[in-house]
Amino acid sequence: MKQAPVYSLLAALWQLNFITPRGLYAWCRSFVREGVTLMTLFAYAAFLYPRREAVIHEGLVYTYAQLYRQALALAHWMHEHYGLRPGNRVALLCRNHVDLVLLLPALSRLGVGVYLLNTDMSAEQVAAKLMGSYRYNLFIIDEELTARCLPREGFTVPYVITEILRHRPDAGSSVPKRLPRIRRGAELALLTGGSGGKYKEASRKPSALNFLPPLLALIRSVGIHRGSTTYVALPLYHGFGLATLLISLVMGKRIWLTRRFQESEALEGIDRHGVDVLPIVPIMLARMMQLPHAAERLKSLRCIISGGDRLDRKLVTEVHGRVAPIIYNLYGTSEAGFFLLATPFDLDCYPEESTLGRPIRGVHCEVRDKDVHGVGVLWVQSRWAMQSRQNAWQSTGDRMFCNSNGFYFHRGRADRMVVCAGENVYPEPVERALEAHPEVVAARVYAVENTRFGKVLEARVELLPQSSCSESALLDWLRPQLSRAECPHAIYIGKLDMLSTGKRV
């Protein structure tokens, strides 16, 4: 088996213009004009690639020059009409679209703190967040989300519909007005961990030092610089989706953007646009692979970057066999950033279970409080973690095993442990066992109350479209592989619900 290539950093950085004389001039020029803000990335790319296609969205194509001009015009409008100034706070509840892409640099350029809310939040959760201890100067929400997510009674935060910003009088302006000088943008915060209804805030300030190490790792190990077109399937309020957008922009790549993921649309668009870089959550990839002619329509891909959820070994085998050995497994947290990476070669070296790989440069990892099997909780120290945790050891909350070669393997969430009849069990090994079944696409295992045993496990399973597999057949499959306490007391068959981030519910 051939080892995956390690790409030359200097050659890649030169190819991307990062260290060419013209590129260095573009960086300096952009920093002087826009400060250390997200607008700098747009200014840099617009100077180097003004006529290159930047974003494709809903049948429209935007060049880098157009994006930069429109972002500047939007920043001026927000400054003049909403009085936004450095130190203000704005919350965004938006799906993936060009308006959101423009709002991110525009607000950053004004020194405004940007808070990206999860579109799966309810109106009550939005109200609790925006009317808490911090004052928000403006709330921007998509019209399609207002019925479900916009608080009604007692909501005092000023709000505006995204579509109103799109149709403002100067939206087509080609000559952006001058903005006040700024040295540095304010924080950009994401709300994480929403599957249980509890959202935690992870925030960062714009910084080249925080941005470069993950990018260099993707260049060195993945060769992400070699691609030309990226599909952003994940929502931009998710760390994985936002990082994909910003990295693709600074490299001058073409980005295909959709409001939400739908497997048939995604498969058709990957083929039509010649997408070669696909960051995605495993269940999204699994559903695409079940569609007719999936392998043929994915042939343009050079790399699939899997993240955000557990990668099933069966899916790796299928994609590597039918498409090409192109899956990279990426692991990280919104608080710490990404820090473990497995190449296709690494994944194929461990045919029994998908590895999360080894730490990238600049990261330190430890497995603490190990049990007799060497499984413990993973702690990480990272220079590009969120503001309050840079270079500090922090727990990921994930149970891990590290083998003698330094490769990490996921063993489940520490907070998902279930005591069943006095025995400690975890849902994740049961999910892995179910997903190894040849007719199972994905599984979700969870705990329910039980009068006899305290708590027991149950499962929801998504099968292949043509499958006729039954609950009893799945239980017969599981029993030889699991302890009695681990076996689900019930298995429900049907399509799994999925959050906008691609995580199973």
Side-chain angles (χ1 to χ4, degrees):
M1 188 180 298
K2 186 178 178 181
Q3 172 68 59
V6 177
Y7 297 95
S8 167
L9 272 181
L10 286 178
L13 294 176
W14 186 272
Q15 176 187 330
L16 292 169
N17 278 305
F18 283 8
I19 57 175
T20 62
R22 189 163 181 262
L24 292 172
Y25 171 75
W27 278 123
C28 293
R29 179 178 182 271
S30 302
F31 279 123
V32 168
R33 290 191 173 196
E34 313 301 350
V36 184
T37 69
L38 293 182
M39 189 70 81
T40 300
L41 302 183
F42 285 65
Y44 168 83
F47 179 82
L48 291 175
Y49 320 110
R51 295 180 180 83
R52 185 179 294 184
E53 292 183 356
V55 175
I56 303 169
H57 177 65
E58 295 182 344
L60 299 176
V61 179
Y62 302 81
T63 67
Y64 275 96
Q66 288 173 329
L67 277 186
Y68 178 46
R69 287 197 300 267
Q70 291 186 30
L72 285 175
L74 179 58
H76 187 272
W77 174 267
M78 303 295 287
H79 177 69
E80 291 296 319
H81 291 264
Y82 295 98
L84 294 179
R85 301 292 187 272
N88 289 169
R89 301 162 69 95
V90 173
L92 306 176
L93 188 65
C94 304
R95 301 214 184 266
N96 285 8
H97 46 62
V98 172
D99 300 292
L100 177 56
V101 173
L102 295 173
L103 278 165
L104 294 175
L107 295 171
S108 178
R109 178 61 179 80
L110 295 175
V112 171
V114 178
Y115 298 82
L116 293 169
L117 305 185
N118 191 314
T119 58
D120 293 312
M121 294 174 76
S122 66
E124 291 75 16
Q125 289 171 323
V126 171
K129 174 62 184 174
L130 299 191
M131 297 180 66
S133 55
Y134 293 105
R135 177 177 180 269
Y136 287 82
N137 300 85
L138 188 65
F139 177 39
I140 302 175
I141 181 172
D142 287 349
E143 186 174 20
E144 66 171 291
L145 298 173
T146 55
R148 177 173 57 84
C149 304
L150 182 64
R152 300 297 178 181
E153 295 183 7
F155 186 63
T156 58
V157 179
Y159 71 91
V160 62
I161 306 301
T162 312
E163 288 74 7
I164 292 176
L165 299 178
R166 182 189 310 160
H167 300 297
R168 66 189 189 278
D170 72 337
S173 174
S174 61
V175 183
K177 301 177 179 66
R178 186 176 296 277
L179 291 166
R181 286 192 175 276
I182 187 172
R183 293 182 60 188
R184 188 187 183 96
E187 64 186 2
L188 172 64
L190 312 175
L191 293 186
T192 69
S195 57
K198 296 180 179 179
Y199 295 88
K200 299 177 295 180
E201 187 175 296
S203 60
R204 288 177 173 81
K205 285 191 175 181
S207 169
L209 293 178
N210 287 350
F211 172 77
L212 277 176
L215 174 60
L216 297 181
L218 291 174
I219 290 173
R220 183 187 298 111
S221 300
V222 180
I224 195 171
H225 60 288
R226 295 161 61 89
S228 63
T229 305
T230 302
Y231 173 34
V232 179
L234 298 166
L236 299 184
Y237 60 75
H238 188 274
F240 194 12
L242 181 62
T244 298
L245 173 74
L246 298 180
I247 287 174
S248 299
L249 285 170
V250 79
M251 292 192 299
K253 305 304 181 184
R254 186 170 62 154
I255 300 163
W256 177 43
L257 193 68
T258 57
R259 286 180 178 263
R260 55 174 68 82
F261 174 83
Q262 205 285 325
E263 52 262 33
S264 58
E265 177 191 19
L267 191 63
E268 189 276 332
I270 289 169
D271 187 24
R272 174 161 46 91
H273 297 300
V275 171
D276 46 20
V277 177
L278 178 63
I280 201 164
V281 172
I283 192 172
M284 294 178 173
L285 179 59
R287 286 181 175 176
M288 283 198 295
M289 290 299 295
Q290 307 315 313
L291 297 176
H293 311 294
E296 291 78 7
R297 306 196 83 170
L298 295 176
K299 286 297 184 181
S300 63
L301 293 175
R302 287 189 176 187
C303 73
I304 297 172
I305 306 174
S306 172
D309 205 352
R310 187 185 67 256
L311 176 62
D312 176 37
R313 176 63 233 183
K314 185 179 68 177
L315 180 59
V316 174
T317 301
E318 182 181 15
V319 173
H320 282 192
R322 294 177 58 194
V323 183
I326 54 174
I327 295 184
Y328 294 80
N329 199 13
L330 179 150
Y331 170 84
T333 65
S334 294
E335 296 85 358
F338 100 82
F339 50 87
L340 293 177
L341 179 66
T343 67
F345 176 82
D346 298 333
L347 292 170
D348 286 340
C349 281
Y350 295 96
E352 300 301 320
E353 180 183 358
S354 293
T355 177
L356 295 173
R358 290 184 283 197
I360 66 174
R361 293 183 186 180
V363 170
H364 300 284
C365 294
E366 288 182 5
V367 178
R368 300 181 180 178
D369 303 319
K370 299 179 185 178
D371 61 19
V372 294
H373 304 291
V375 177
V377 176
L378 179 67
W379 286 69
V380 60
Q381 184 186 54
S382 169
R383 293 199 309 271
W384 49 88
M386 59 182 284
Q387 288 171 221
S388 60
R389 301 186 186 181
Q390 289 175 356
N391 291 316
W393 283 99
Q394 57 180 296
S395 171
T396 64
D398 284 321
R399 300 172 68 247
M400 293 282 181
F401 170 75
C402 183
N403 70 11
S404 58
N405 294 320
F407 285 90
Y408 286 80
F409 297 83
H410 194 258
R411 291 290 185 267
R413 289 286 303 173
D415 57 9
R416 291 189 70 194
M417 186 189 77
V418 179
V419 180
C420 179
E423 185 175 340
N424 295 344
V425 297
Y426 292 88
E428 286 84 354
V430 185
E431 290 175 349
R432 286 199 302 271
L434 280 166
E435 289 172 351
H437 190 284
E439 296 183 36
V440 172
V441 175
R444 173 71 171 167
V445 178
Y446 50 91
V448 296
E449 300 290 337
N450 183 275
T451 55
R452 183 179 178 187
F453 299 108
K455 287 187 177 181
V456 296
L457 298 180
E458 291 186 354
R460 294 188 180 276
V461 173
E462 183 173 326
L463 299 175
L464 294 172
Q466 68 274 18
S467 174
S468 58
C469 193
S470 64
E471 175 188 356
S472 60
L474 289 172
L475 286 170
D476 290 342
W477 161 272
L478 285 177
R479 288 191 183 100
Q481 306 176 58
L482 303 174
S483 70
R484 184 176 180 182
E486 289 176 309
C487 273
H489 281 227
I491 296 178
Y492 302 97
I493 296 174
K495 193 165 185 177
L496 295 184
D497 292 329
M498 187 172 70
L499 296 174
S500 302
T501 56
K503 294 197 175 184
R504 292 163 279 191
V505 182

